[in-house]
Amino acid sequence: MTHLAVIDPLVRLFALLASDGPTLSEDAVQRLVEAAKEGDSSAARELYDAYVARVLRAVRPLCRSEAEAEDVAQETFVTVLTKLHTYQHRPGARFIAWVLTIARNTAHRSARHRRVVPVDTDTLHLPDRDDGADPTAAALDHVREKAALLQALSELPERDRTVVSLRWGGGLKAPEVARATGLKPDLVRKICQRRRPQLLARIEELLQP
Amino acid sequence: MTTDPLDSAFSSLEPTPDARRRMRLSVLAAVEAEQTSLFTVWWRALAGGRVGPIALVVAATAVVLITSPAVALPFLVAKQFIAPPAELAVLVTPALSP
């Protein structure tokens, strides 16, 4: 059994509490967007709740620390919610793709200001594994998985790290990633196909006791 | 339904419920502050058609007139001919006398 497959119920509960709210259809999202444009603050709150986890998943590998990722996510949502009047829905284009394009640009602006390669030095050291029945062992596995993922991602070139983060972190499709990054869709698919097995193998290697 | 292991790995990056709440408060407060700023309210009203073009022209003319030197100059000139208040004159006089 791989380490990634070992998910304790406590971790599942944690993930459920922390993950996105109920999945909204694109029509429901557009209704919320229109309501938020009219100044409905509960609609704005629902949009935030629906997408905050995905935004953080996508920007965390592009940032140096947890705190920076939270800053980028907050700045992203402030921009999204104050610039909603500039958003035009196009058939076939999802709202989340627009949100994550803003998130990606915000993260890159933040990285340019700091002028340091976004390797999170806090996560380079993986904590020791604890196989005991202690419930904190599950939380420790969670921390180890997170550290291994960030370590593996930090070893990728910036372009590929961005593509992988938007694809699996943000849940975008290849053409959406292509539009957000300015790359060609075929190149995005190639990057995803090449990097996916490499990342999984590297995470597995890092998680070995 | 099988879950993509890479997708599962990325779920470890999601914020804790506490971080979500903290960030939500901060985001909504920033948005509220932005949306209630005078410029934004005026711009929204204009874009939404609640302020007509005549009102805009009147407001713009008022701003130009108030800040224009042509309007300000007569006041500045007139100020030169207005005598200082009596209390101020008493204070100033000894210093000016030989």
Side-chain angles (χ1 to χ4, degrees):
Chain A
M1 185 185 287
T2 66
H3 288 93
L4 289 174
V6 180
I7 300 177
D8 188 86
L10 194 65
V11 178
R12 280 176 188 275
L13 179 65
F14 177 84
L16 186 69
L17 287 170
S19 65
D20 289 341
T23 310
L24 298 169
S25 70
E26 195 56 26
D27 283 347
V29 170
Q30 292 307 322
R31 280 195 294 277
L32 284 176
V33 168
E34 289 307 315
K37 276 184 184 178
E38 294 296 317
D40 182 346
S41 58
S42 68
R45 195 177 301 119
E46 276 191 65
L47 285 172
Y48 169 87
D49 285 339
Y51 293 125
V52 63
R54 273 215 254 178
V55 167
L56 242 140
R57 282 167 56 132
V59 300
R60 179 62 187 88
L62 311 179
C63 297
R64 191 176 168 80
S65 67
E66 203 84 36
E68 187 188 343
E70 287 189 8
D71 284 349
V72 167
Q74 287 178 67
E75 200 180 324
T76 299
F77 276 102
V78 171
T79 306
V80 164
L81 294 174
T82 54
K83 303 283 181 201
L84 267 183
H85 58 282
T86 66
Y87 168 72
Q88 296 287 333
H89 175 57
R90 289 188 314 241
R94 293 186 299 163
F95 179 67
I96 182 64
W98 184 69
V99 172
L100 288 175
T101 303
I102 293 174
R104 179 249 180 197
N105 292 339
T106 309
H108 279 205
R109 204 165 48 243
S110 173
R112 263 203 310 276
H113 286 162
R114 85 173 115 73
R115 294 166 189 269
V116 176
V117 178
V119 174
D120 192 342
T121 47
D122 292 344
T123 59
L124 291 179
H125 172 70
L126 270 61
D128 292 334
R129 192 151 193 277
D130 182 358
D131 288 322
D134 186 352
T136 55
L140 190 61
D141 274 348
H142 180 82
V143 172
R144 283 172 53 83
E145 273 181 26
K146 182 176 176 175
L149 173 68
L150 288 172
Q151 169 70 36
L153 285 166
S154 73
E155 292 166 6
L156 296 181
E158 187 185 338
R159 183 198 67 180
D160 293 9
R161 184 170 53 240
T162 304
V163 167
V164 168
S165 301
L166 290 173
R167 172 68 188 85
W168 280 283
L172 295 187
K173 295 167 187 162
E176 292 173 325
V177 175
R179 269 197 297 274
T181 53
L183 300 171
K184 291 187 175 164
D186 283 348
L187 179 58
V188 169
R189 283 191 196 94
K190 270 184 198 159
I191 292 169
C192 291
Q193 280 166 10
R194 193 171 66 240
R195 293 303 183 186
R196 186 178 178 280
Q198 287 176 359
L199 272 172
L200 288 173
R202 181 70 179 125
I203 292 169
E204 197 60 41
E205 184 189 338
L206 287 165
L207 287 174
Q208 290 300 323
Chain B
M1 194 172 118
T2 54
T3 311
D4 184 338
L6 201 50
D7 188 58
S8 301
F10 266 94
S11 68
S12 66
L13 303 182
E14 291 175 3
T16 62
D18 187 45
R20 286 168 71 115
R21 270 193 297 275
R22 182 165 34 80
M23 287 163 62
R24 186 203 289 137
L25 283 176
S26 150
V27 166
L28 294 178
V31 172
E32 179 77 19
E34 170 73 23
Q35 284 177 340
T36 51
S37 76
L38 194 61
F39 176 77
T40 309
V41 168
W42 173 259
W43 180 252
R44 286 267 168 88
L46 184 68
R50 288 189 292 275
V51 175
I54 294 173
L56 181 66
V57 169
V58 169
T61 309
V63 169
V64 170
L65 283 178
I66 289 166
T67 55
S68 162
V71 173
L73 199 60
F75 289 103
L76 291 173
V77 171
K79 199 176 156 192
Q80 301 300 315
F81 296 99
I82 297 172
E87 297 87 355
L88 192 61
V90 168
L91 287 174
V92 169
T93 306
L96 291 177
S97 60

